Amino acid sequence: MSKPTLLILAAGMGSRYGGIKQLDKFGPNGETIIDYSLNDAIKAGFGKIVFIIREELREDFQEIFGPKLAGKIDYDFAIQSVQSYVPAELGTIERTKPWGTGHAVLCAWEQTSTPFAVINADDFYGYEGFKIMADFLSTNTDETCQAMVGYQIKNTLSENGSVSRGVCELDKDGFLEVVNERTKIYRQPNGQIVFEESDILTELEDDTIVSMNFWGFMPSVFPVINDMFKEYSAKNINSPKAEFYIPNVMTYLIQNGLGKCKVFSNASEWFGVTYPEDKPTVTEALRKLHESGLYPVEA
């Protein structure tokens, strides 16, 4: 089978971070977090990279990543705009932000012909996750079977505020049943992880599997996403903050008997930069990874 494609979601606005965190430098040699994902993806066996970006970022992405990828792996750009894949009869949409991660994947349809994975540009996932996903996508022959690399919640928290996570419920065979979006998760002073909802605290075990937006799909999913987004955009034409997420797609496939999602758990530590205050923590963690020899002098 052909090598899988990696879609990198990099069109987000970074409102809480206060800047274009996709291009911010975190590594000891000025590496972006994307540099680590590219390094791990190539090593794991991916055959193509597609950056999903806003048009105004194309020149910067080409300048920064083009020379690093030349001769190593094919790459392309997919542009996510407010009007992308919106039915013509809906006219011009009045909103400033794109339509969310599910819409971003749809925007890469033309650039993607093989089984593909999806990741966030500003998250560090670790080599293990890329290897697990590349192996699955390279060998899976079931068009109805998608995948997700899950992370233990204890490895995904921020010391600088609460986080939003998709808490996963699995069946006895390790397939996803539902992703519950929890928008306020944090560790209490006593060490217990909880999520807060309507002033009610619910405990979560340290090894609870959460989605960090590391998904794997067969290319046959694109027409389904397209049909879903047509309906979603029509219903939300007057809702400028409504977003069409990847878990919406996976939930639809599962609930309608159109697909299933194998969840692969891994114990790797995940790094993310939700808040500006997260940067020193991520920078220090990456420095240690370089010192341990997991990454070359230049990632």
Side-chain angles (χ1 to χ4, degrees), residues 251-275:
T251 298
Y252 178 85
L253 294 173
I254 294 170
Q255 292 182 347
N256 289 277
L258 299 175
K260 54 191 175 183
C261 179
K262 179 66 176 178
V263 176
F264 296 96
S265 175
N266 82 99
S268 298
E269 188 168 359
W270 169 96
F271 309 137
V273 281
T274 303
Y275 304 96

mmCIF file with all atom_site columns, all heavy atoms in Angstrom, residues 251-275:
data_model
loop_
_atom_site.group_PDB
_atom_site.id
_atom_site.type_symbol
_atom_site.label_atom_id
_atom_site.label_alt_id
_atom_site.label_comp_id
_atom_site.label_asym_id
_atom_site.label_entity_id
_atom_site.label_seq_id
_atom_site.pdbx_PDB_ins_code
_atom_site.Cartn_x
_atom_site.Cartn_y
_atom_site.Cartn_z
_atom_site.occupancy
_atom_site.B_iso_or_equiv
_atom_site.pdbx_formal_charge
_atom_site.auth_seq_id
_atom_site.auth_comp_id
_atom_site.auth_asym_id
_atom_site.auth_atom_id
_atom_site.pdbx_PDB_model_num
ATOM 1   N N   . THR A 1 251 ? -18.223 10.695 15.435 1.00 0.00 ? 251 THR A N   1
ATOM 2   C CA  . THR A 1 251 ? -19.462 10.313 16.118 1.00 0.00 ? 251 THR A CA  1
ATOM 3   C C   . THR A 1 251 ? -20.548 9.957  15.111 1.00 0.00 ? 251 THR A C   1
ATOM 4   O O   . THR A 1 251 ? -21.279 8.971  15.289 1.00 0.00 ? 251 THR A O   1
ATOM 5   C CB  . THR A 1 251 ? -19.944 11.458 17.022 1.00 0.00 ? 251 THR A CB  1
ATOM 6   O OG1 . THR A 1 251 ? -18.949 11.723 18.023 1.00 0.00 ? 251 THR A OG1 1
ATOM 7   C CG2 . THR A 1 251 ? -21.248 11.096 17.716 1.00 0.00 ? 251 THR A CG2 1
ATOM 8   N N   . TYR A 1 252 ? -20.639 10.727 14.044 1.00 0.00 ? 252 TYR A N   1
ATOM 9   C CA  . TYR A 1 252 ? -21.635 10.466 12.999 1.00 0.00 ? 252 TYR A CA  1
ATOM 10  C C   . TYR A 1 252 ? -21.392 9.096  12.357 1.00 0.00 ? 252 TYR A C   1
ATOM 11  O O   . TYR A 1 252 ? -22.333 8.319  12.151 1.00 0.00 ? 252 TYR A O   1
ATOM 12  C CB  . TYR A 1 252 ? -21.580 11.569 11.948 1.00 0.00 ? 252 TYR A CB  1
ATOM 13  C CG  . TYR A 1 252 ? -22.542 11.384 10.798 1.00 0.00 ? 252 TYR A CG  1
ATOM 14  C CD1 . TYR A 1 252 ? -23.861 11.828 10.893 1.00 0.00 ? 252 TYR A CD1 1
ATOM 15  C CD2 . TYR A 1 252 ? -22.140 10.758 9.614  1.00 0.00 ? 252 TYR A CD2 1
ATOM 16  C CE1 . TYR A 1 252 ? -24.749 11.651 9.846  1.00 0.00 ? 252 TYR A CE1 1
ATOM 17  C CE2 . TYR A 1 252 ? -23.021 10.578 8.561  1.00 0.00 ? 252 TYR A CE2 1
ATOM 18  C CZ  . TYR A 1 252 ? -24.325 11.032 8.680  1.00 0.00 ? 252 TYR A CZ  1
ATOM 19  O OH  . TYR A 1 252 ? -25.203 10.849 7.636  1.00 0.00 ? 252 TYR A OH  1
ATOM 20  N N   . LEU A 1 253 ? -20.142 8.801  12.031 1.00 0.00 ? 253 LEU A N   1
ATOM 21  C CA  . LEU A 1 253 ? -19.816 7.519  11.414 1.00 0.00 ? 253 LEU A CA  1
ATOM 22  C C   . LEU A 1 253 ? -20.207 6.355  12.318 1.00 0.00 ? 253 LEU A C   1
ATOM 23  O O   . LEU A 1 253 ? -20.798 5.363  11.870 1.00 0.00 ? 253 LEU A O   1
ATOM 24  C CB  . LEU A 1 253 ? -18.318 7.449  11.105 1.00 0.00 ? 253 LEU A CB  1
ATOM 25  C CG  . LEU A 1 253 ? -17.768 8.409  10.049 1.00 0.00 ? 253 LEU A CG  1
ATOM 26  C CD1 . LEU A 1 253 ? -16.244 8.304  10.003 1.00 0.00 ? 253 LEU A CD1 1
ATOM 27  C CD2 . LEU A 1 253 ? -18.364 8.121  8.681  1.00 0.00 ? 253 LEU A CD2 1
ATOM 28  N N   . ILE A 1 254 ? -19.881 6.481  13.607 1.00 0.00 ? 254 ILE A N   1
ATOM 29  C CA  . ILE A 1 254 ? -20.151 5.405  14.560 1.00 0.00 ? 254 ILE A CA  1
ATOM 30  C C   . ILE A 1 254 ? -21.647 5.234  14.777 1.00 0.00 ? 254 ILE A C   1
ATOM 31  O O   . ILE A 1 254 ? -22.184 4.120  14.706 1.00 0.00 ? 254 ILE A O   1
ATOM 32  C CB  . ILE A 1 254 ? -19.433 5.685  15.894 1.00 0.00 ? 254 ILE A CB  1
ATOM 33  C CG1 . ILE A 1 254 ? -17.906 5.642  15.712 1.00 0.00 ? 254 ILE A CG1 1
ATOM 34  C CG2 . ILE A 1 254 ? -19.864 4.678  16.966 1.00 0.00 ? 254 ILE A CG2 1
ATOM 35  C CD1 . ILE A 1 254 ? -17.132 6.148  16.907 1.00 0.00 ? 254 ILE A CD1 1
ATOM 36  N N   . GLN A 1 255 ? -22.346 6.333  15.024 1.00 0.00 ? 255 GLN A N   1
ATOM 37  C CA  . GLN A 1 255 ? -23.767 6.258  15.361 1.00 0.00 ? 255 GLN A CA  1
ATOM 38  C C   . GLN A 1 255 ? -24.632 5.817  14.191 1.00 0.00 ? 255 GLN A C   1
ATOM 39  O O   . GLN A 1 255 ? -25.727 5.272  14.396 1.00 0.00 ? 255 GLN A O   1
ATOM 40  C CB  . GLN A 1 255 ? -24.244 7.612  15.894 1.00 0.00 ? 255 GLN A CB  1
ATOM 41  C CG  . GLN A 1 255 ? -23.653 7.981  17.247 1.00 0.00 ? 255 GLN A CG  1
ATOM 42  C CD  . GLN A 1 255 ? -24.174 9.295  17.788 1.00 0.00 ? 255 GLN A CD  1
ATOM 43  O OE1 . GLN A 1 255 ? -24.804 10.082 17.065 1.00 0.00 ? 255 GLN A OE1 1
ATOM 44  N NE2 . GLN A 1 255 ? -23.919 9.548  19.056 1.00 0.00 ? 255 GLN A NE2 1
ATOM 45  N N   . ASN A 1 256 ? -24.156 6.038  12.964 1.00 0.00 ? 256 ASN A N   1
ATOM 46  C CA  . ASN A 1 256 ? -24.943 5.666  11.795 1.00 0.00 ? 256 ASN A CA  1
ATOM 47  C C   . ASN A 1 256 ? -24.467 4.371  11.140 1.00 0.00 ? 256 ASN A C   1
ATOM 48  O O   . ASN A 1 256 ? -24.886 4.041  10.025 1.00 0.00 ? 256 ASN A O   1
ATOM 49  C CB  . ASN A 1 256 ? -24.922 6.802  10.780 1.00 0.00 ? 256 ASN A CB  1
ATOM 50  C CG  . ASN A 1 256 ? -25.739 8.001  11.228 1.00 0.00 ? 256 ASN A CG  1
ATOM 51  O OD1 . ASN A 1 256 ? -26.955 8.037  11.050 1.00 0.00 ? 256 ASN A OD1 1
ATOM 52  N ND2 . ASN A 1 256 ? -25.072 8.980  11.836 1.00 0.00 ? 256 ASN A ND2 1
ATOM 53  N N   . GLY A 1 257 ? -23.591 3.658  11.836 1.00 0.00 ? 257 GLY A N   1
ATOM 54  C CA  . GLY A 1 257 ? -23.131 2.378  11.340 1.00 0.00 ? 257 GLY A CA  1
ATOM 55  C C   . GLY A 1 257 ? -22.284 2.465  10.087 1.00 0.00 ? 257 GLY A C   1
ATOM 56  O O   . GLY A 1 257 ? -22.159 1.498  9.329  1.00 0.00 ? 257 GLY A O   1
ATOM 57  N N   . LEU A 1 258 ? -21.669 3.624  9.870  1.00 0.00 ? 258 LEU A N   1
ATOM 58  C CA  . LEU A 1 258 ? -20.857 3.835  8.676  1.00 0.00 ? 258 LEU A CA  1
ATOM 59  C C   . LEU A 1 258 ? -19.375 3.569  8.919  1.00 0.00 ? 258 LEU A C   1
ATOM 60  O O   . LEU A 1 258 ? -18.588 3.546  7.977  1.00 0.00 ? 258 LEU A O   1
ATOM 61  C CB  . LEU A 1 258 ? -21.035 5.267  8.164  1.00 0.00 ? 258 LEU A CB  1
ATOM 62  C CG  . LEU A 1 258 ? -22.456 5.659  7.748  1.00 0.00 ? 258 LEU A CG  1
ATOM 63  C CD1 . LEU A 1 258 ? -22.502 7.140  7.382  1.00 0.00 ? 258 LEU A CD1 1
ATOM 64  C CD2 . LEU A 1 258 ? -22.928 4.798  6.584  1.00 0.00 ? 258 LEU A CD2 1
ATOM 65  N N   . GLY A 1 259 ? -19.010 3.400  10.168 1.00 0.00 ? 259 GLY A N   1
ATOM 66  C CA  . GLY A 1 259 ? -17.598 3.184  10.464 1.00 0.00 ? 259 GLY A CA  1
ATOM 67  C C   . GLY A 1 259 ? -17.365 2.918  11.934 1.00 0.00 ? 259 GLY A C   1
ATOM 68  O O   . GLY A 1 259 ? -18.271 2.995  12.762 1.00 0.00 ? 259 GLY A O   1
ATOM 69  N N   . LYS A 1 260 ? -16.126 2.598  12.254 1.00 0.00 ? 260 LYS A N   1
ATOM 70  C CA  . LYS A 1 260 ? -15.702 2.365  13.622 1.00 0.00 ? 260 LYS A CA  1
ATOM 71  C C   . LYS A 1 260 ? -14.334 2.998  13.786 1.00 0.00 ? 260 LYS A C   1
ATOM 72  O O   . LYS A 1 260 ? -13.650 3.305  12.809 1.00 0.00 ? 260 LYS A O   1
ATOM 73  C CB  . LYS A 1 260 ? -15.656 0.873  13.922 1.00 0.00 ? 260 LYS A CB  1
ATOM 74  C CG  . LYS A 1 260 ? -14.800 0.074  12.935 1.00 0.00 ? 260 LYS A CG  1
ATOM 75  C CD  . LYS A 1 260 ? -14.996 -1.416 13.094 1.00 0.00 ? 260 LYS A CD  1
ATOM 76  C CE  . LYS A 1 260 ? -14.216 -2.177 12.004 1.00 0.00 ? 260 LYS A CE  1
ATOM 77  N NZ  . LYS A 1 260 ? -14.448 -3.625 12.080 1.00 0.00 ? 260 LYS A NZ  1
ATOM 78  N N   . CYS A 1 261 ? -13.933 3.186  15.026 1.00 0.00 ? 261 CYS A N   1
ATOM 79  C CA  . CYS A 1 261 ? -12.668 3.879  15.295 1.00 0.00 ? 261 CYS A CA  1
ATOM 80  C C   . CYS A 1 261 ? -11.863 3.092  16.323 1.00 0.00 ? 261 CYS A C   1
ATOM 81  O O   . CYS A 1 261 ? -12.251 3.004  17.492 1.00 0.00 ? 261 CYS A O   1
ATOM 82  C CB  . CYS A 1 261 ? -12.940 5.292  15.803 1.00 0.00 ? 261 CYS A CB  1
ATOM 83  S SG  . CYS A 1 261 ? -11.443 6.224  16.196 1.00 0.00 ? 261 CYS A SG  1
ATOM 84  N N   . LYS A 1 262 ? -10.744 2.520  15.880 1.00 0.00 ? 262 LYS A N   1
ATOM 85  C CA  . LYS A 1 262 ? -9.843  1.817  16.778 1.00 0.00 ? 262 LYS A CA  1
ATOM 86  C C   . LYS A 1 262 ? -9.012  2.830  17.549 1.00 0.00 ? 262 LYS A C   1
ATOM 87  O O   . LYS A 1 262 ? -8.392  3.724  16.947 1.00 0.00 ? 262 LYS A O   1
ATOM 88  C CB  . LYS A 1 262 ? -8.922  0.887  15.979 1.00 0.00 ? 262 LYS A CB  1
ATOM 89  C CG  . LYS A 1 262 ? -7.913  0.123  16.824 1.00 0.00 ? 262 LYS A CG  1
ATOM 90  C CD  . LYS A 1 262 ? -8.598  -0.874 17.746 1.00 0.00 ? 262 LYS A CD  1
ATOM 91  C CE  . LYS A 1 262 ? -7.579  -1.709 18.516 1.00 0.00 ? 262 LYS A CE  1
ATOM 92  N NZ  . LYS A 1 262 ? -8.249  -2.644 19.459 1.00 0.00 ? 262 LYS A NZ  1
ATOM 93  N N   . VAL A 1 263 ? -9.002  2.720  18.870 1.00 0.00 ? 263 VAL A N   1
ATOM 94  C CA  . VAL A 1 263 ? -8.245  3.651  19.703 1.00 0.00 ? 263 VAL A CA  1
ATOM 95  C C   . VAL A 1 263 ? -6.951  2.985  20.161 1.00 0.00 ? 263 VAL A C   1
ATOM 96  O O   . VAL A 1 263 ? -6.969  1.913  20.770 1.00 0.00 ? 263 VAL A O   1
ATOM 97  C CB  . VAL A 1 263 ? -9.064  4.106  20.927 1.00 0.00 ? 263 VAL A CB  1
ATOM 98  C CG1 . VAL A 1 263 ? -8.218  5.004  21.829 1.00 0.00 ? 263 VAL A CG1 1
ATOM 99  C CG2 . VAL A 1 263 ? -10.320 4.827  20.469 1.00 0.00 ? 263 VAL A CG2 1
ATOM 100 N N   . PHE A 1 264 ? -5.846  3.614  19.837 1.00 0.00 ? 264 PHE A N   1
ATOM 101 C CA  . PHE A 1 264 ? -4.531  3.137  20.252 1.00 0.00 ? 264 PHE A CA  1
ATOM 102 C C   . PHE A 1 264 ? -4.034  4.028  21.386 1.00 0.00 ? 264 PHE A C   1
ATOM 103 O O   . PHE A 1 264 ? -3.828  5.228  21.194 1.00 0.00 ? 264 PHE A O   1
ATOM 104 C CB  . PHE A 1 264 ? -3.543  3.190  19.094 1.00 0.00 ? 264 PHE A CB  1
ATOM 105 C CG  . PHE A 1 264 ? -3.888  2.286  17.943 1.00 0.00 ? 264 PHE A CG  1
ATOM 106 C CD1 . PHE A 1 264 ? -4.583  2.767  16.853 1.00 0.00 ? 264 PHE A CD1 1
ATOM 107 C CD2 . PHE A 1 264 ? -3.529  0.943  17.970 1.00 0.00 ? 264 PHE A CD2 1
ATOM 108 C CE1 . PHE A 1 264 ? -4.911  1.941  15.789 1.00 0.00 ? 264 PHE A CE1 1
ATOM 109 C CE2 . PHE A 1 264 ? -3.854  0.105  16.911 1.00 0.00 ? 264 PHE A CE2 1
ATOM 110 C CZ  . PHE A 1 264 ? -4.550  0.605  15.814 1.00 0.00 ? 264 PHE A CZ  1
ATOM 111 N N   . SER A 1 265 ? -3.854  3.450  22.546 1.00 0.00 ? 265 SER A N   1
ATOM 112 C CA  . SER A 1 265 ? -3.350  4.219  23.686 1.00 0.00 ? 265 SER A CA  1
ATOM 113 C C   . SER A 1 265 ? -1.829  4.200  23.692 1.00 0.00 ? 265 SER A C   1
ATOM 114 O O   . SER A 1 265 ? -1.208  3.203  23.315 1.00 0.00 ? 265 SER A O   1
ATOM 115 C CB  . SER A 1 265 ? -3.871  3.628  24.994 1.00 0.00 ? 265 SER A CB  1
ATOM 116 O OG  . SER A 1 265 ? -3.307  4.288  26.109 1.00 0.00 ? 265 SER A OG  1
ATOM 117 N N   . ASN A 1 266 ? -1.241  5.317  24.056 1.00 0.00 ? 266 ASN A N   1
ATOM 118 C CA  . ASN A 1 266 ? 0.208   5.320  24.263 1.00 0.00 ? 266 ASN A CA  1
ATOM 119 C C   . ASN A 1 266 ? 0.525   6.182  25.472 1.00 0.00 ? 266 ASN A C   1
ATOM 120 O O   . ASN A 1 266 ? -0.233  7.091  25.825 1.00 0.00 ? 266 ASN A O   1
ATOM 121 C CB  . ASN A 1 266 ? 0.936   5.794  23.004 1.00 0.00 ? 266 ASN A CB  1
ATOM 122 C CG  . ASN A 1 266 ? 0.986   7.292  22.855 1.00 0.00 ? 266 ASN A CG  1
ATOM 123 O OD1 . ASN A 1 266 ? 1.981   7.923  23.177 1.00 0.00 ? 266 ASN A OD1 1
ATOM 124 N ND2 . ASN A 1 266 ? -0.100  7.890  22.352 1.00 0.00 ? 266 ASN A ND2 1
ATOM 125 N N   . ALA A 1 267 ? 1.621   5.882  26.107 1.00 0.00 ? 267 ALA A N   1
ATOM 126 C CA  . ALA A 1 267 ? 1.961   6.525  27.378 1.00 0.00 ? 267 ALA A CA  1
ATOM 127 C C   . ALA A 1 267 ? 2.901   7.714  27.198 1.00 0.00 ? 267 ALA A C   1
ATOM 128 O O   . ALA A 1 267 ? 3.451   8.228  28.174 1.00 0.00 ? 267 ALA A O   1
ATOM 129 C CB  . ALA A 1 267 ? 2.592   5.509  28.319 1.00 0.00 ? 267 ALA A CB  1
ATOM 130 N N   . SER A 1 268 ? 3.086   8.157  25.965 1.00 0.00 ? 268 SER A N   1
ATOM 131 C CA  . SER A 1 268 ? 3.990   9.286  25.720 1.00 0.00 ? 268 SER A CA  1
ATOM 132 C C   . SER A 1 268 ? 3.464   10.559 26.367 1.00 0.00 ? 268 SER A C   1
ATOM 133 O O   . SER A 1 268 ? 2.255   10.745 26.518 1.00 0.00 ? 268 SER A O   1
ATOM 134 C CB  . SER A 1 268 ? 4.143   9.525  24.214 1.00 0.00 ? 268 SER A CB  1
ATOM 135 O OG  . SER A 1 268 ? 4.705   8.415  23.574 1.00 0.00 ? 268 SER A OG  1
ATOM 136 N N   . GLU A 1 269 ? 4.384   11.429 26.718 1.00 0.00 ? 269 GLU A N   1
ATOM 137 C CA  . GLU A 1 269 ? 3.977   12.722 27.247 1.00 0.00 ? 269 GLU A CA  1
ATOM 138 C C   . GLU A 1 269 ? 3.653   13.652 26.093 1.00 0.00 ? 269 GLU A C   1
ATOM 139 O O   . GLU A 1 269 ? 4.361   13.705 25.087 1.00 0.00 ? 269 GLU A O   1
ATOM 140 C CB  . GLU A 1 269 ? 5.077   13.326 28.119 1.00 0.00 ? 269 GLU A CB  1
ATOM 141 C CG  . GLU A 1 269 ? 4.635   14.579 28.861 1.00 0.00 ? 269 GLU A CG  1
ATOM 142 C CD  . GLU A 1 269 ? 5.617   15.010 29.933 1.00 0.00 ? 269 GLU A CD  1
ATOM 143 O OE1 . GLU A 1 269 ? 6.634   14.326 30.101 1.00 0.00 ? 269 GLU A OE1 1
ATOM 144 O OE2 . GLU A 1 269 ? 5.354   16.021 30.592 1.00 0.00 ? 269 GLU A OE2 1
ATOM 145 N N   . TRP A 1 270 ? 2.565   14.355 26.237 1.00 0.00 ? 270 TRP A N   1
ATOM 146 C CA  . TRP A 1 270 ? 2.102   15.309 25.240 1.00 0.00 ? 270 TRP A CA  1
ATOM 147 C C   . TRP A 1 270 ? 2.429   16.715 25.727 1.00 0.00 ? 270 TRP A C   1
ATOM 148 O O   . TRP A 1 270 ? 2.275   17.023 26.906 1.00 0.00 ? 270 TRP A O   1
ATOM 149 C CB  . TRP A 1 270 ? 0.593   15.138 25.051 1.00 0.00 ? 270 TRP A CB  1
ATOM 150 C CG  . TRP A 1 270 ? -0.073  16.213 24.245 1.00 0.00 ? 270 TRP A CG  1
ATOM 151 C CD1 . TRP A 1 270 ? -0.354  16.187 22.917 1.00 0.00 ? 270 TRP A CD1 1
ATOM 152 C CD2 . TRP A 1 270 ? -0.581  17.466 24.724 1.00 0.00 ? 270 TRP A CD2 1
ATOM 153 N NE1 . TRP A 1 270 ? -1.002  17.341 22.528 1.00 0.00 ? 270 TRP A NE1 1
ATOM 154 C CE2 . TRP A 1 270 ? -1.141  18.152 23.630 1.00 0.00 ? 270 TRP A CE2 1
ATOM 155 C CE3 . TRP A 1 270 ? -0.595  18.081 25.980 1.00 0.00 ? 270 TRP A CE3 1
ATOM 156 C CZ2 . TRP A 1 270 ? -1.727  19.408 23.743 1.00 0.00 ? 270 TRP A CZ2 1
ATOM 157 C CZ3 . TRP A 1 270 ? -1.167  19.333 26.099 1.00 0.00 ? 270 TRP A CZ3 1
ATOM 158 C CH2 . TRP A 1 270 ? -1.722  19.988 24.992 1.00 0.00 ? 270 TRP A CH2 1
ATOM 159 N N   . PHE A 1 271 ? 2.901   17.566 24.825 1.00 0.00 ? 271 PHE A N   1
ATOM 160 C CA  . PHE A 1 271 ? 3.158   18.959 25.179 1.00 0.00 ? 271 PHE A CA  1
ATOM 161 C C   . PHE A 1 271 ? 2.254   19.851 24.327 1.00 0.00 ? 271 PHE A C   1
ATOM 162 O O   . PHE A 1 271 ? 2.113   19.618 23.124 1.00 0.00 ? 271 PHE A O   1
ATOM 163 C CB  . PHE A 1 271 ? 4.597   19.376 24.909 1.00 0.00 ? 271 PHE A CB  1
ATOM 164 C CG  . PHE A 1 271 ? 5.639   18.478 25.478 1.00 0.00 ? 271 PHE A CG  1
ATOM 165 C CD1 . PHE A 1 271 ? 6.745   18.124 24.731 1.00 0.00 ? 271 PHE A CD1 1
ATOM 166 C CD2 . PHE A 1 271 ? 5.531   17.974 26.764 1.00 0.00 ? 271 PHE A CD2 1
ATOM 167 C CE1 . PHE A 1 271 ? 7.723   17.299 25.241 1.00 0.00 ? 271 PHE A CE1 1
ATOM 168 C CE2 . PHE A 1 271 ? 6.502   17.141 27.286 1.00 0.00 ? 271 PHE A CE2 1
ATOM 169 C CZ  . PHE A 1 271 ? 7.602   16.802 26.518 1.00 0.00 ? 271 PHE A CZ  1
ATOM 170 N N   . GLY A 1 272 ? 1.680   20.847 24.959 1.00 0.00 ? 272 GLY A N   1
ATOM 171 C CA  . GLY A 1 272 ? 0.862   21.792 24.207 1.00 0.00 ? 272 GLY A CA  1
ATOM 172 C C   . GLY A 1 272 ? 1.058   23.202 24.719 1.00 0.00 ? 272 GLY A C   1
ATOM 173 O O   . GLY A 1 272 ? 1.561   23.416 25.821 1.00 0.00 ? 272 GLY A O   1
ATOM 174 N N   . VAL A 1 273 ? 0.657   24.155 23.906 1.00 0.00 ? 273 VAL A N   1
ATOM 175 C CA  . VAL A 1 273 ? 0.843   25.564 24.265 1.00 0.00 ? 273 VAL A CA  1
ATOM 176 C C   . VAL A 1 273 ? -0.495  26.293 24.145 1.00 0.00 ? 273 VAL A C   1
ATOM 177 O O   . VAL A 1 273 ? -0.733  27.055 23.220 1.00 0.00 ? 273 VAL A O   1
ATOM 178 C CB  . VAL A 1 273 ? 1.922   26.241 23.400 1.00 0.00 ? 273 VAL A CB  1
ATOM 179 C CG1 . VAL A 1 273 ? 3.290   25.876 23.902 1.00 0.00 ? 273 VAL A CG1 1
ATOM 180 C CG2 . VAL A 1 273 ? 1.797   25.853 21.935 1.00 0.00 ? 273 VAL A CG2 1
ATOM 181 N N   . THR A 1 274 ? -1.356  26.027 25.103 1.00 0.00 ? 274 THR A N   1
ATOM 182 C CA  . THR A 1 274 ? -2.643  26.709 25.153 1.00 0.00 ? 274 THR A CA  1
ATOM 183 C C   . THR A 1 274 ? -2.462  28.146 25.603 1.00 0.00 ? 274 THR A C   1
ATOM 184 O O   . THR A 1 274 ? -3.084  29.066 25.070 1.00 0.00 ? 274 THR A O   1
ATOM 185 C CB  . THR A 1 274 ? -3.596  25.977 26.122 1.00 0.00 ? 274 THR A CB  1
ATOM 186 O OG1 . THR A 1 274 ? -3.734  24.621 25.705 1.00 0.00 ? 274 THR A OG1 1
ATOM 187 C CG2 . THR A 1 274 ? -4.966  26.639 26.135 1.00 0.00 ? 274 THR A CG2 1
ATOM 188 N N   . TYR A 1 275 ? -1.602  28.348 26.595 1.00 0.00 ? 275 TYR A N   1
ATOM 189 C CA  . TYR A 1 275 ? -1.373  29.671 27.179 1.00 0.00 ? 275 TYR A CA  1
ATOM 190 C C   . TYR A 1 275 ? 0.069   30.122 26.939 1.00 0.00 ? 275 TYR A C   1
ATOM 191 O O   . TYR A 1 275 ? 0.968   29.288 26.832 1.00 0.00 ? 275 TYR A O   1
ATOM 192 C CB  . TYR A 1 275 ? -1.629  29.631 28.694 1.00 0.00 ? 275 TYR A CB  1
ATOM 193 C CG  . TYR A 1 275 ? -2.993  29.135 29.085 1.00 0.00 ? 275 TYR A CG  1
ATOM 194 C CD1 . TYR A 1 275 ? -3.201  27.794 29.433 1.00 0.00 ? 275 TYR A CD1 1
ATOM 195 C CD2 . TYR A 1 275 ? -4.083  29.995 29.114 1.00 0.00 ? 275 TYR A CD2 1
ATOM 196 C CE1 . TYR A 1 275 ? -4.459  27.326 29.795 1.00 0.00 ? 275 TYR A CE1 1
ATOM 197 C CE2 . TYR A 1 275 ? -5.351  29.542 29.478 1.00 0.00 ? 275 TYR A CE2 1
ATOM 198 C CZ  . TYR A 1 275 ? -5.527  28.212 29.824 1.00 0.00 ? 275 TYR A CZ  1
ATOM 199 O OH  . TYR A 1 275 ? -6.766  27.747 30.174 1.00 0.00 ? 275 TYR A OH  1
#
